[in-house]
PDB file of all heavy atoms in Angstrom:
ATOM      1  N   LEU A 140     -56.842 142.876  94.774  1.00 97.00           N
ATOM      2  CA  LEU A 140     -57.098 141.522  94.979  1.00 97.00           C
ATOM      3  C   LEU A 140     -56.082 140.977  95.965  1.00 97.00           C
ATOM      4  O   LEU A 140     -54.899 141.425  95.856  1.00 97.00           O
ATOM      5  CB  LEU A 140     -57.021 140.769  93.729  1.00 97.00           C
ATOM      6  CG  LEU A 140     -58.005 141.131  92.586  1.00 97.00           C
ATOM      7  CD1 LEU A 140     -57.739 140.453  91.329  1.00 97.00           C
ATOM      8  CD2 LEU A 140     -59.415 140.920  93.018  1.00 97.00           C
ATOM      9  N   SER A 141     -56.480 140.110  96.814  1.00 96.00           N
ATOM     10  CA  SER A 141     -55.505 139.551  97.864  1.00 96.00           C
ATOM     11  C   SER A 141     -55.476 138.041  97.890  1.00 96.00           C
ATOM     12  O   SER A 141     -56.479 137.406  97.660  1.00 96.00           O
ATOM     13  CB  SER A 141     -56.002 140.036  99.234  1.00 96.00           C
ATOM     14  OG  SER A 141     -55.239 139.572 100.160  1.00 96.00           O
ATOM     15  N   ALA A 142     -54.220 137.590  98.042  1.00 96.00           N
ATOM     16  CA  ALA A 142     -54.046 136.153  98.176  1.00 96.00           C
ATOM     17  C   ALA A 142     -53.190 135.839  99.396  1.00 96.00           C
ATOM     18  O   ALA A 142     -52.234 136.572  99.638  1.00 96.00           O
ATOM     19  CB  ALA A 142     -53.433 135.371  97.036  1.00 96.00           C
ATOM     20  N   SER A 143     -53.587 135.008 100.373  1.00 91.00           N
ATOM     21  CA  SER A 143     -52.920 134.856 101.679  1.00 91.00           C
ATOM     22  C   SER A 143     -51.801 133.633 101.709  1.00 91.00           C
ATOM     23  O   SER A 143     -50.907 133.628 102.344  1.00 91.00           O
ATOM     24  CB  SER A 143     -53.791 134.691 102.842  1.00 91.00           C
ATOM     25  OG  SER A 143     -54.662 133.675 102.594  1.00 91.00           O
ATOM     26  N   LEU A 144     -52.201 132.661 100.810  1.00 91.00           N
ATOM     27  CA  LEU A 144     -51.319 131.475 100.645  1.00 91.00           C
ATOM     28  C   LEU A 144     -50.868 131.162  99.314  1.00 91.00           C
ATOM     29  O   LEU A 144     -51.588 131.504  98.380  1.00 91.00           O
ATOM     30  CB  LEU A 144     -52.251 130.234 101.229  1.00 91.00           C
ATOM     31  CG  LEU A 144     -52.771 130.332 102.556  1.00 91.00           C
ATOM     32  CD1 LEU A 144     -53.757 129.099 102.845  1.00 91.00           C
ATOM     33  CD2 LEU A 144     -51.668 130.342 103.703  1.00 91.00           C
ATOM     34  N   VAL A 145     -49.770 130.703  99.178  1.00 92.00           N
ATOM     35  CA  VAL A 145     -48.981 130.486  97.838  1.00 92.00           C
ATOM     36  C   VAL A 145     -49.868 129.716  96.961  1.00 92.00           C
ATOM     37  O   VAL A 145     -49.926 129.907  95.783  1.00 92.00           O
ATOM     38  CB  VAL A 145     -47.609 129.800  98.119  1.00 92.00           C
ATOM     39  CG1 VAL A 145     -47.008 129.239  96.821  1.00 92.00           C
ATOM     40  CG2 VAL A 145     -46.633 130.914  98.794  1.00 92.00           C
ATOM     41  N   PRO A 146     -50.580 128.535  97.467  1.00 94.00           N
ATOM     42  CA  PRO A 146     -51.369 127.681  96.571  1.00 94.00           C
ATOM     43  C   PRO A 146     -52.546 128.502  95.949  1.00 94.00           C
ATOM     44  O   PRO A 146     -53.076 128.116  94.873  1.00 94.00           O
ATOM     45  CB  PRO A 146     -51.976 126.592  97.397  1.00 94.00           C
ATOM     46  CG  PRO A 146     -50.986 126.449  98.616  1.00 94.00           C
ATOM     47  CD  PRO A 146     -50.341 127.816  98.723  1.00 94.00           C
ATOM     48  N   GLN A 147     -52.956 129.682  96.438  1.00 96.00           N
ATOM     49  CA  GLN A 147     -53.957 130.560  95.977  1.00 96.00           C
ATOM     50  C   GLN A 147     -53.430 131.447  94.634  1.00 96.00           C
ATOM     51  O   GLN A 147     -54.246 131.956  93.989  1.00 96.00           O
ATOM     52  CB  GLN A 147     -54.437 131.509  96.940  1.00 96.00           C
ATOM     53  CG  GLN A 147     -55.245 130.800  98.050  1.00 96.00           C
ATOM     54  CD  GLN A 147     -55.399 131.612  99.296  1.00 96.00           C
ATOM     55  OE1 GLN A 147     -55.085 132.803  99.275  1.00 96.00           O
ATOM     56  NE2 GLN A 147     -55.898 131.109 100.357  1.00 96.00           N
ATOM     57  N   LEU A 148     -52.122 131.382  94.612  1.00 96.00           N
ATOM     58  CA  LEU A 148     -51.520 132.392  93.497  1.00 96.00           C
ATOM     59  C   LEU A 148     -51.896 132.004  92.099  1.00 96.00           C
ATOM     60  O   LEU A 148     -52.402 132.731  91.176  1.00 96.00           O
ATOM     61  CB  LEU A 148     -50.021 132.444  93.705  1.00 96.00           C
ATOM     62  CG  LEU A 148     -49.427 133.121  94.844  1.00 96.00           C
ATOM     63  CD1 LEU A 148     -48.020 133.077  94.874  1.00 96.00           C
ATOM     64  CD2 LEU A 148     -49.974 134.444  95.016  1.00 96.00           C
ATOM     65  N   PRO A 149     -52.006 130.714  91.650  1.00 96.00           N
ATOM     66  CA  PRO A 149     -52.554 130.237  90.478  1.00 96.00           C
ATOM     67  C   PRO A 149     -53.936 130.785  90.036  1.00 96.00           C
ATOM     68  O   PRO A 149     -54.237 131.237  88.880  1.00 96.00           O
ATOM     69  CB  PRO A 149     -52.434 128.763  90.249  1.00 96.00           C
ATOM     70  CG  PRO A 149     -51.275 128.404  91.290  1.00 96.00           C
ATOM     71  CD  PRO A 149     -51.440 129.502  92.347  1.00 96.00           C
ATOM     72  N   GLU A 150     -54.792 130.705  91.090  1.00 96.00           N
ATOM     73  CA  GLU A 150     -56.082 131.057  90.868  1.00 96.00           C
ATOM     74  C   GLU A 150     -56.144 132.643  90.872  1.00 96.00           C
ATOM     75  O   GLU A 150     -56.977 133.247  89.990  1.00 96.00           O
ATOM     76  CB  GLU A 150     -56.948 130.701  92.185  1.00 96.00           C
ATOM     77  CG  GLU A 150     -58.479 131.281  92.265  1.00 96.00           C
ATOM     78  CD  GLU A 150     -59.253 130.816  91.092  1.00 96.00           C
ATOM     79  OE1 GLU A 150     -58.966 129.737  90.426  1.00 96.00           O
ATOM     80  OE2 GLU A 150     -60.209 131.560  90.697  1.00 96.00           O
ATOM     81  N   LEU A 151     -55.243 133.333  91.539  1.00 97.00           N
ATOM     82  CA  LEU A 151     -55.202 134.798  91.366  1.00 97.00           C
ATOM     83  C   LEU A 151     -54.754 135.083  89.918  1.00 97.00           C
ATOM     84  O   LEU A 151     -55.252 136.118  89.327  1.00 97.00           O
ATOM     85  CB  LEU A 151     -54.198 135.342  92.436  1.00 97.00           C
ATOM     86  CG  LEU A 151     -53.961 136.884  92.393  1.00 97.00           C
ATOM     87  CD1 LEU A 151     -55.255 137.603  92.547  1.00 97.00           C
ATOM     88  CD2 LEU A 151     -53.028 137.225  93.507  1.00 97.00           C
ATOM     89  N   ARG A 152     -53.783 134.392  89.479  1.00 97.00           N
ATOM     90  CA  ARG A 152     -53.429 134.733  88.063  1.00 97.00           C
ATOM     91  C   ARG A 152     -54.494 134.437  87.003  1.00 97.00           C
ATOM     92  O   ARG A 152     -54.578 135.227  86.031  1.00 97.00           O
ATOM     93  CB  ARG A 152     -52.119 133.724  87.780  1.00 97.00           C
ATOM     94  CG  ARG A 152     -51.489 134.081  86.480  1.00 97.00           C
ATOM     95  CD  ARG A 152     -50.414 133.063  86.037  1.00 97.00           C
ATOM     96  NE  ARG A 152     -49.585 133.564  84.986  1.00 97.00           N
ATOM     97  CZ  ARG A 152     -48.898 132.683  84.191  1.00 97.00           C
ATOM     98  NH1 ARG A 152     -48.896 131.350  84.495  1.00 97.00           N
ATOM     99  NH2 ARG A 152     -48.088 133.221  83.288  1.00 97.00           N
TER     100      ARG A 152
END
Side-chain angles (χ1 to χ4, degrees):
L140 305 170
S141 175
S143 62
L144 301 175
V145 171
Q147 295 164 4
L148 293 178
E150 175 61 26
L151 180 57
R152 189 186 191 200

